[in-house]
Amino acid sequence: MSICDFLLKLFNCQKQKKVVFRLKITDGINKTDSVRRHLQEFTTINNKQAYELYEVTRLDSIIYRLKKQGMDIDTFKSKTTSKNGKGTVIITSYVY
C-alpha cells in the first residue's frame, strides 16, 4: 500500500476522478472553433492541453483571434520547476 492510499484510507477520502477534456470534433471544424468550444465548455486551456487534444501548436495566435472576435479571455502565467529540478518553466493558461 502506497503512502497516498494509506492517507486516503486513514482520512476516509475518495480518489479524485480524472477529468477528461476531450470534446468530440466533427469534420469541418477548424482549430479556432475547437479552442472556442473548449473554453466555453471547460473555461480554461493551456498549451499542453491544446496540443494534446486539438493538435494546436500556436495557441496564443488563436487566443488573439478569439479576443478580436469579442471573447473576454484572461491570461495567467505561473512558474514551476522543471522535471529534473534544475530550471523553471512558465505555464501560460487562458481563462474564459
Side-chain angles (χ1 to χ4, degrees), residues 22-30 33-35 37 53-54:
R22 175 66 99 172
L23 291 174
K24 292 184 179 181
I25 305 302
T26 58
D27 292 335
I29 294 182
N30 60 22
D33 290 335
S34 300
V35 171
R37 286 179 50 197
L53 300 174
Y54 310 112

Side-chain angles (χ1 to χ4, degrees), residues 11-64:
F11 294 109
N12 197 18
C13 299
Q14 294 180 358
K15 286 186 177 181
Q16 293 181 350
K17 295 180 181 177
K18 187 176 182 181
V19 177
V20 179
F21 289 108
R22 175 66 99 172
L23 291 174
K24 292 184 179 181
I25 305 302
T26 58
D27 292 335
I29 294 182
N30 60 22
K31 293 179 181 182
T32 303
D33 290 335
S34 300
V35 171
R36 178 187 296 116
R37 286 179 50 197
H38 184 94
L39 284 170
Q40 290 170 342
E41 180 76 21
F42 302 108
T43 68
T44 185
I45 194 167
N46 62 33
N47 288 319
K48 183 178 179 184
Q49 291 171 337
Y51 181 73
E52 289 176 351
L53 300 174
Y54 310 112
E55 298 177 0
V56 171
T57 55
R58 296 198 50 217
L59 181 60
D60 54 341
S61 65
I62 290 177
I63 295 297
Y64 176 79

Side-chain angles (χ1 to χ4, degrees), residues 6-14:
F6 173 74
L7 291 174
L8 290 173
K9 197 170 199 174
L10 179 67
F11 294 109
N12 197 18
C13 299
Q14 294 180 358

